Amino acid sequence: LVGNELKYLLNCIETNWISSQGSYVDEFEELFSKLHDSWYTTTTSSGTSALELAFKAIKSKKNGYVLVPDLTFGATINAVINAGLTPLICPIKKDDFSIDLTKISTEILENTAAICVVHLYGSAVSMENIIRLKKKYNFFVVEDCAEALGSNLNGRRVGTFGDIATFSFFGNKLITTGEGGMLITQNKHLYKFINLIKNHGMSPKKRYWHEVVGTNARMTNVQAAIGLGQLENLEAVVLKKREIHQIYFERLQNLKEKLRVWHEYSNMYSSYWLNLVIFKDKEYIKILMREAEKRHVDLRRCFYPMHTQPAFNKYSDKNFDYSESKFLSNNLVCLPSGINLQSDQISDICDVIESS
């Protein structure tokens, strides 16, 4: 929190505009829209609530499967279920962690309401084939950009390829409001419906008149004040993230016999929310994690595949091959990636990896 966050927060308190109405909500949405091709934007109480609103809007238009990647955070599939749709956990490709659509049958695609594209860890999923299939099968595309704000593909920001995109501003994300999220869309009808259900389903023209069943998913002016201060510095944060990645990438290249540093492919520009190393032998990770703990280096394991988890395994398909997500879950490690990291700290982390 190094920009105008405190200045804006003090203004909220001095003017008593601390609830879900206030100028900072509007300003935050306006700046976010400007950065994302002037799409309609609406703030939310969390990234998860943004996803739930997106899937509720889709359910009002179309029913069927929502295809989700096997490797993601649980919020993605929770949101689908809580919106009343049926998720189908799909195999992934390990280059960009996206759904491997070559493994999805025509029958499934014909009964698909939406594909949820998760831009995981700062990756940008290749969208060309997804958009081609969308035109053929007439499903919706939701981009879960919780971990990829600032990333782009062919010079176009993630979130501006599908029908709806959602973002998270949790405390560990590229920019933060503590908790909070954003939803963007080009579709004016979806935008109006989302804002309706976000505000208790209450008519914007007739107070206390509920047109549909809704919820309260609003962001406060206080959160938006922090978010605006953060968003003003987005490009500087992305550049710092990329500098950190480059240090890791150059330092760990000499360990090719035992690991690969995940790196953007040619037409991708990654914000590198987290830096990832993928080990050839998962047994090495046990030794590494023990050594890192001794040296007070906080390494994180990859997410568990969705199909393995008690809450979600009934949404998997026994005919699918989930080997790629199993491999990544077992062999991928996330390195410290905060923008306050200094070069000597990154060097110490690399020392741990090299010496373990």
Side-chain angles (χ1 to χ4, degrees), residues 76-96:
T76 308
I77 192 167
N78 277 334
V80 176
I81 297 165
N82 289 334
L85 289 165
T86 303
L88 180 62
I89 299 169
C90 297
I92 66 162
K93 300 181 296 179
K94 63 182 179 184
D95 57 349
D96 64 1

Side-chain angles (χ1 to χ4, degrees), residues 125-142:
V125 170
S126 179
M127 298 296 295
E128 185 176 345
N129 193 39
I130 295 169
I131 300 304
R132 181 181 65 80
L133 290 172
K134 167 186 165 60
K135 291 175 181 175
K136 182 176 181 180
Y137 293 103
N138 196 33
F139 51 67
F140 289 90
V141 174
V142 176

Side-chain angles (χ1 to χ4, degrees), residues 155-211:
R156 185 171 167 184
R157 288 186 185 271
V158 297
T160 61
F161 292 89
D163 297 285
I164 304 174
T166 64
F167 298 81
S168 170
F169 307 130
F170 182 61
N172 65 0
K173 296 301 188 292
L174 216 74
I175 70 166
T176 186
T177 58
E179 288 277 5
M182 188 78 76
L183 186 151
I184 68 173
T185 180
Q186 274 188 310
N187 188 312
K188 190 173 184 179
H189 297 291
L190 289 177
Y191 172 72
K192 286 184 175 181
F193 183 75
I194 286 162
N195 271 330
L196 180 66
I197 57 176
K198 162 185 152 176
N199 290 286
H200 301 285
M202 190 168 59
S203 170
K205 297 178 181 178
K206 187 176 180 180
R207 182 170 286 186
Y208 309 132
W209 187 258
H210 298 270
E211 297 181 0

Side-chain angles (χ1 to χ4, degrees), residues 23-289:
S23 62
Y24 289 111
V25 174
D26 295 334
E27 289 181 51
F28 188 28
E29 290 175 347
E30 286 166 8
L31 180 55
F32 206 88
S33 175
K34 183 179 179 181
L35 292 172
H36 292 83
D37 296 345
S38 299
W39 282 33
Y40 297 111
T41 57
T42 188
T43 48
T44 60
S45 54
S46 68
T48 304
S49 62
L51 275 171
E52 288 189 13
L53 291 169
F55 290 122
K56 285 177 179 178
I58 286 166
K59 192 173 189 300
S60 73
K61 299 290 185 182
K62 189 170 185 177
N63 218 329
Y65 293 121
V66 176
L67 308 188
V68 296
D70 191 28
L71 200 67
T72 184
F73 181 59
T76 308
I77 192 167
N78 277 334
V80 176
I81 297 165
N82 289 334
L85 289 165
T86 303
L88 180 62
I89 299 169
C90 297
I92 66 162
K93 300 181 296 179
K94 63 182 179 184
D95 57 349
D96 64 1
F97 317 114
S98 65
I99 294 171
D100 187 348
L101 290 167
T102 65
K103 307 288 177 62
I104 311 302
S105 69
T106 298
E107 182 183 0
I108 289 173
L109 290 171
E110 286 174 344
N111 291 283
T112 293
I115 288 182
C116 186
V117 177
V118 181
H119 300 288
L120 200 65
Y121 293 129
S123 173
V125 170
S126 179
M127 298 296 295
E128 185 176 345
N129 193 39
I130 295 169
I131 300 304
R132 181 181 65 80
L133 290 172
K134 167 186 165 60
K135 291 175 181 175
K136 182 176 181 180
Y137 293 103
N138 196 33
F139 51 67
F140 289 90
V141 174
V142 176
E143 293 180 70
D144 180 348
C145 307
E147 300 177 358
L149 177 62
S151 297
N152 67 57
L153 196 63
N154 294 319
R156 185 171 167 184
R157 288 186 185 271
V158 297
T160 61
F161 292 89
D163 297 285
I164 304 174
T166 64
F167 298 81
S168 170
F169 307 130
F170 182 61
N172 65 0
K173 296 301 188 292
L174 216 74
I175 70 166
T176 186
T177 58
E179 288 277 5
M182 188 78 76
L183 186 151
I184 68 173
T185 180
Q186 274 188 310
N187 188 312
K188 190 173 184 179
H189 297 291
L190 289 177
Y191 172 72
K192 286 184 175 181
F193 183 75
I194 286 162
N195 271 330
L196 180 66
I197 57 176
K198 162 185 152 176
N199 290 286
H200 301 285
M202 190 168 59
S203 170
K205 297 178 181 178
K206 187 176 180 180
R207 182 170 286 186
Y208 309 132
W209 187 258
H210 298 270
E211 297 181 0
V212 296
V213 174
T215 187
N216 178 3
R218 299 180 302 233
M219 176 181 282
T220 67
N221 200 45
V222 168
Q223 290 173 294
I226 297 171
L228 179 62
Q230 289 268 288
L231 191 59
E232 289 170 346
N233 290 317
L234 174 62
E235 296 310 318
V237 172
V238 171
L239 287 175
K240 179 63 178 175
K241 286 279 194 179
R242 290 179 62 83
E243 287 173 11
I244 290 168
H245 170 78
Q246 196 59 32
I247 297 171
Y248 276 130
F249 186 66
E250 291 176 1
R251 175 70 183 272
L252 296 174
Q253 281 300 291
N254 63 347
L255 300 176
K256 288 180 180 178
E257 73 284 355
K258 65 180 178 181
L259 64 83
R260 175 171 68 89
V261 181
W262 184 85
H263 190 68
E264 63 194 10
Y265 50 84
S266 58
N267 58 344
M268 183 201 303
Y269 178 90
S270 176
S271 59
Y272 292 112
W273 176 61
L274 287 183
N275 286 279
L276 317 173
V277 288
I278 302 164
F279 292 90
K280 293 180 180 179
D281 184 354
K282 67 180 181 182
E283 295 303 313
Y284 175 80
I285 297 176
K286 296 176 183 177
I287 302 167
L288 173 63
M289 298 301 284

Side-chain angles (χ1 to χ4, degrees), residues 337-354:
S337 302
I339 61 169
N340 59 337
L341 276 174
Q342 301 300 309
S343 296
D344 59 336
Q345 292 175 306
I346 299 172
S347 181
D348 289 343
I349 295 162
C350 292
D351 285 344
V352 173
I353 296 170
E354 289 172 339

